């Protein structure tokens, strides 16, 4: 599988400038793999091409990827592609209680769906557990780590805060031999969860709280999806992540800004292990960029899980969700997501991006390729009262045709037929028209697109005065594509579907999931802003060319927007279409 083609002129940013500088100065010349942890064993001591950079996308397999992950995926894989390097897909599976194989497979599928390939560079943190454990023992022996038996409450209180330095643990001055014995007891399941932890010995008075003896290992008697019950102690993410980067010889460890305060510990740990001879220099460098924040979206895994479990949405792949599986089912294309990432760039500050940026990228991708189709979403019957007179019989079906795409003749023609009864949009008739209304009203003429010109003569109503059918007459010899097509001038053109061949369909109309641009800002309960109208299901009709359509196909329903046949629920017998986005931003009004 090849990567997507690089943009002709990719926008420059500080990440590109940093990589260009490192390549020019030979910052990673003479790199070698070190250590023999799991999958990296065959690389031990192997020299690397100094001209190649290595990046990584390191998701924790504890949930489904979301739109923010798309930014990280495209940045890391895209930079590796553009500079002739490699990007690793690595699962940071250090928390056995929250991780599942289901998420591992879903993550792989979404990275590939976005168009990227990791090749031979697929890794798991769990394959490095032996090396991480040996590194912890080395830190203990060197006096850089100790076992702390304080309660979690005492440890939290003694850590201090931004205005108060921390207090040394009473267990901090144990000898290396004592700490090593205690750590091995932890490993050998001789203590319960929470009884003790292994901490780095750095500086409890550091102004950076992340350097106040951070935890390296905790006891957790839980089965791991990859290692089973081999371990009852597990490394913390902040300890595991730098080691993983170093063992895989990552050059640029690109992450979001919330990890900026962790960088001093990242560097401290790698330098200690390099000094102990466990890692080879030059070491990876962590670089932070501003994360992608979209208005009207939440990306917290906890909050997304709450939406699913409390049934505000219909699963992780609900088309209203910002998960990649949800966006895929909604009908968004990989190319549109990659274009959005490219358009929003990379900066050193967090920024809020309006969600319309994503819609604009989607329209730019779909407009030149999505075939057109007629669809009636709020059906109203149109009866052509002189049809038999004009065409010789009420049973006659007058053939009509129009381009499948106005700018792609190679897609051919859509063919359908006119009959005496049609379906039109309810909004295409107004008994008493407002100023500027050029569709159907008594006495007005309009063109049925790709069909004939008709003149409205009135409407039928039920006992409550509701219009049940519009009445009109056909103007003879005005069929589109014939010499008389321009004989009568009209200002309005409307879409339609013949009642005799219309394909009944369920159409799901989506709006934003939240009514507030930043529903979780300031600690607010984001659930208070769930949009009760985010999904509206209507029963409509589509033109016969869509009969038998396969799932996950996209069209522009003329006048309505872009739609996709639902990848889960759509069948030829029971068509289901999802609205992806409108033809223009209706929220901009």
């Amino acid at each position: 599988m090849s990567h997507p083609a690089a943009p002709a002129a990719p926008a420059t940013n500080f990440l590109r400038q940093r990589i260009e500088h490192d390549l020019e100065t030979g910052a990673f010349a003479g790199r070698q793999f070190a250590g023999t942890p799991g999958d990296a064993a065959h690389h031990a001591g192997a020299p690397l091409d100094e001209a190649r950079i290595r990046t990584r996308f390191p998701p924790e397999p504890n949930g489904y990827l979301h739109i923010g992950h798309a930014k990280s995926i495209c940045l890391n894989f895209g930079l590796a592609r553009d500079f002739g390097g490699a990007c690793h897909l690595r699962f940071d599976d250090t928390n056995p209680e929250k991780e599942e194989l289901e998420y591992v497979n879903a993550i792989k599928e979404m990275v590939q769906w976005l168009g990227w390939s990791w090749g031979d560079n697929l890794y798991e943190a769990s394959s490095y557990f032996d090396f991480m454990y040996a590194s912890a023992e080395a830190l203990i022996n060197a006096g850089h780590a100790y076992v702390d038996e304080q309660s979690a409450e005492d440890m939290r209180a003694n850590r201090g805060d931004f205005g108060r330095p921390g207090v040394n643990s009473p267990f901090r001055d144990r000898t290396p031999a004592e700490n090593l014995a205690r750590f091995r007891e932890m490993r050998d399941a001789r203590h319960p969860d929470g009884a003790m932890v292994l901490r780095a010995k750095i500086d409890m008075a550091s102004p950076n709280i992340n350097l106040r003896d951070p935890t390296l290992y905790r006891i957790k008697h839980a089965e791991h999806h990859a290692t089973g019950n081999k371990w009852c102690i597990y490394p913390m993410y902040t300890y595991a992540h730098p080691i993983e980067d170093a063992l895989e010889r990552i050059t640029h460890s690109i992450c979001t800004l919330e990890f900026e305060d962790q960088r001093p510990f990242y560097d401290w740990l790698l330098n200690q292990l390099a000094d102990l001879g466990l890692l080879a220099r030059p070491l990876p460098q962590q670089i932070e960029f501003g994360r992608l924040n979209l208005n009207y979206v939440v990306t917290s895994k906890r909050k997304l899980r709450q939406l699913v479990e409390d049934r505000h949405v219909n699963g992780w792949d609900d088309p209203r969700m910002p998960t990649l599986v949800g966006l895929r089912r909604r009908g968004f294309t990989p190319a549109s997501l990659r274009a959005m990432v490219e358009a929003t760039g990379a900066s050193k500050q967090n920024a809020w991006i309006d969600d319309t940026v994503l819609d604009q990228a989607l329209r730019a991708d779909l407009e030149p390729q999505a075939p057109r189709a007629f669809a009636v979403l709020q059906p109203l019957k149109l009866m052509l009262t002189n049809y038999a007179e004009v065409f010789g019989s009420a049973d006659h079906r007058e053939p009509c045709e129009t381009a499948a795409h106005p700018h792609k003749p190679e897609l051919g023609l859509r063919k359908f037929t006119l009959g005496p009864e049609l379906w039109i949009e309810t909004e295409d008739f107004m008994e008493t028209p407002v100023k500027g209304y050029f569709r159907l009203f008594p006495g007005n003429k309009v063109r049925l697109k790709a069909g004939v010109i008709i003149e409205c003569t009135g409407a039928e109503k039920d006992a409550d005065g509701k219009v049940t059918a519009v009445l009109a007459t056909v103007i003879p010899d005005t069929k589109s594509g014939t010499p008389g097509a321009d004989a009568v001038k009209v200002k309005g053109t409307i879409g339609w579907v013949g009642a005799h061949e219309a394909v009944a369909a369920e159409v799901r109309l989506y709006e934003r999931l939240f009514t507030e641009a930043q529903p979780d800002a300031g600690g607010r309960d984001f659930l208070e802003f769930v949009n009760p109208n985010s999904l509206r299901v209507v029963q409509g009709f589509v033109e016969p060319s869509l009969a038998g359509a396969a799932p996950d196909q996209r069209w522009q329903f003329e006048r309505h927007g872009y739609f996709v046949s639902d990848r889960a629920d759509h069948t030829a017998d029971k068509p289901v279409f999802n609205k992806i986005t409108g033809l223009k931003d209706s929220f901009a009004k």
Side-chain angles (χ1 to χ4, degrees), residues 252-263:
H252 300 82
S253 183
I254 300 168
C255 54
T256 47
L257 275 177
E258 63 262 36
F259 294 100
E260 184 175 26
D261 289 342
Q262 292 285 356
R263 188 182 348 129

Side-chain angles (χ1 to χ4, degrees), residues 5 10-11 25 176 199 232 254 256-257 297 313 326 512 526 544 553-554:
T25 59
R199 299 178 70 178
C232 66
I254 300 168
T256 47
L257 275 177
V297 168
V313 295
R512 289 166 170 153
F526 72 107
Q553 290 185 294
R554 298 168 183 82

